Amino acid sequence: QVQLVESGGGLVQAGGSLRLSCAASGRTFSSYGMGWFRQAPGKRREFVGTISLSGEITYYAASVEGRFTISRDNAKNTVYLQMNSLKPEDTAVYYCAARYGGMATTNGSYDYWGQGTRVTVSS
């Protein structure tokens, strides 16, 4: 069992930055690929990015490529999402997720989910 707790959301102006954190319980964090997803009001949850077990490989949705960066610290059981040059369309609840054994880009591939943290970007 893995429990995930996101933090770091809030209100930011367009062009600003935020860093989200996702703290994981358990001793096998390094066995899980991690992903970030988001869900805007009235929309389906969408993929944001994912990171490999070691943190060496990352992959992003086209909408955030070049603006968002995922990293992880396996010693701290934490994954991060650095969000720069934020736009109003980035407003959403952001979720982290864990997938045993590797990365993935689809919701259904993940085994565990956090409760989400809200990000609001004002224009």
Side-chain angles (χ1 to χ4, degrees), residues 5 18 20 38-39 46 48 50 55 69 73 92 107 110 114:
V5 179
L18 278 176
L20 306 183
R38 66 186 182 185
Q39 187 167 19
E46 66 174 4
V48 173
T50 183
T69 302
D73 185 337
N107 291 350
Y110 283 83

Side-chain angles (χ1 to χ4, degrees), residues 6-14 16-21 83 86-88 90-94 116-122:
E6 302 96 334
S7 61
L11 174 64
V12 63
Q13 289 188 333
S17 298
L18 278 176
R19 188 176 81 153
L20 306 183
S21 298
M83 305 186 294
L86 282 161
K87 305 175 182 180
D90 294 318
T91 295
V93 177
Y94 283 72
T117 186
R118 185 175 301 276
V119 172
T120 303
V121 184
S122 63

Side-chain angles (χ1 to χ4, degrees), residues 43-65:
K43 296 188 177 182
R44 298 178 65 178
R45 188 175 299 184
E46 66 174 4
F47 169 76
V48 173
T50 183
I51 189 166
S52 63
L53 276 63
S54 66
E56 293 181 350
I57 302 171
T58 55
Y59 181 76
Y60 302 94
S63 58
V64 306
E65 177 79 47

Side-chain angles (χ1 to χ4, degrees), residues 49-114:
T50 183
I51 189 166
S52 63
L53 276 63
S54 66
E56 293 181 350
I57 302 171
T58 55
Y59 181 76
Y60 302 94
S63 58
V64 306
E65 177 79 47
R67 300 188 298 123
F68 290 12
T69 302
I70 298 175
S71 60
R72 66 189 295 165
D73 185 337
N74 286 345
K76 295 182 178 179
N77 282 12
T78 302
V79 63
Y80 305 97
L81 180 65
Q82 177 67 44
M83 305 186 294
N84 298 329
S85 302
L86 282 161
K87 305 175 182 180
E89 51 264 43
D90 294 318
T91 295
V93 177
Y94 283 72
Y95 299 89
C96 71
R99 179 179 186 269
Y100 185 78
M103 306 161 65
T105 62
T106 56
N107 291 350
S109 298
Y110 283 83
D111 304 304
Y112 302 100
W113 292 84

